[in-house]
Structures are given as C-alpha cells and as structure tokens.
C-alpha cells in the first residue's frame, strides 16, 4: 500500500512540474504588441479561437493526471485498518487510561504550575 502511495505521489509531482513548465513556455493570447493597439482579432472577447496546439493539449493532459493523482492520494490517505473500529482519538486515549494505577494523583497535580482545586467541603446549615 505504501509503495502505491509513493508511486502516485511521484507521478503527481512529475505532473505538477510538467504543468508549471508548460504554462511558463506558452505565450499568452494578448502577448502580441499589435493586440494592444487594436490589431488582431478584436471581434471576439479573448481573441481568435483556433484549434488547440500541442502545448495546450499537453497542459490539459498534465492537469488531468495531477487531478487524478490528487484524488487517488485522498482515497489512499483515508483508508483505515479494518481491525481498529474506532477513531484515532479513542486509540490514543486507551493505553493511557489502562496503564494509570488506581491511586494515581489527579491530573492537575501532574501538570507543573497548575494548582489542584481544593476538595469541596459540604456546607453545613
């Protein structure tokens, strides 16, 4: 199981680095100097829409791989052992309560700087 998580994590990091590189290499739609002075295709909002080139398709593939790896890591990270049957907080508190002797001092006396409350005396009327 741990080997599978490591492989998926390595694949996710490779997809992230590839995506960063592909995005930085691409040229923006309004990067031409003529586009800022009214040149180019001003009929559409973001310029002329053509078929996607190799860089944009590669970026989409890298983003898809990154997304699928993220989902796989979230799934593998939430798998619990079948024999536990309780939450992590219950498992952490169980050994402490079982190992404490019956004549143990109150918890407040074990914490430095914390004063234990005085024993309550029943009020007489």
């Amino acid at each position: 199981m741990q080997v599978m998580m490591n492989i998926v994590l390595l694949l996710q990091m490779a997809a992230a680095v590839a995506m960063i590189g592909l995005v930085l290499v691409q040229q923006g739609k309004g990067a031409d100097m003529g586009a800022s002075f009214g040149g180019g295709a001003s009929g559409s909002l973001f310029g002329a829409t053509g078929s996607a080139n190799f860089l944009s398709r590669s970026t989409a593939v890298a983003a898809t791989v990154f997304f699928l790896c993220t989902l796989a890591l979230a799934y593998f990270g939430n798998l619990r052992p079948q024999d536990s049957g309780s939450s992590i907080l219950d498992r952490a508190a169980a050994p402490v309560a079982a190992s404490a002797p019956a004549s143990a001092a109150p918890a407040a006396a074990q914490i430095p700087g914390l004063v234990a409350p005085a024993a309550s005396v029943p009020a007489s009327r």
Side-chain angles (χ1 to χ4, degrees):
M1 179 65 131
Q2 188 67 22
V3 174
M4 183 72 152
M5 275 186 74
N6 287 338
I7 291 172
V8 172
L9 185 63
L10 184 66
L11 187 62
Q12 183 185 30
M13 289 191 303
V17 169
M19 204 167 36
I20 290 170
L22 287 169
V23 167
L24 290 177
V25 168
Q26 292 181 28
Q27 184 178 11
K29 292 199 180 237
D32 292 331
M33 196 62 173
S36 62
F37 295 110
S42 60
S44 63
L45 184 62
F46 294 112
T49 56
S51 63
N53 58 9
F54 174 74
L55 289 176
S56 63
R57 289 184 194 265
S58 300
T59 305
V61 168
T64 303
V65 168
F66 181 82
F67 180 72
L68 291 175
C69 288
T70 302
L71 289 176
L73 285 174
Y75 175 75
F76 289 141
N78 284 329
L79 289 180
R80 295 185 186 176
Q82 298 297 329
D83 59 342
S84 68
S86 62
S87 73
I88 188 79
L89 296 176
D90 293 338
R91 285 181 278 162
V96 174
S99 66
S103 64
Q110 295 176 357
I111 300 174
L114 186 65
V115 178
S120 61
V121 179
S124 60
R125 291 187 177 183

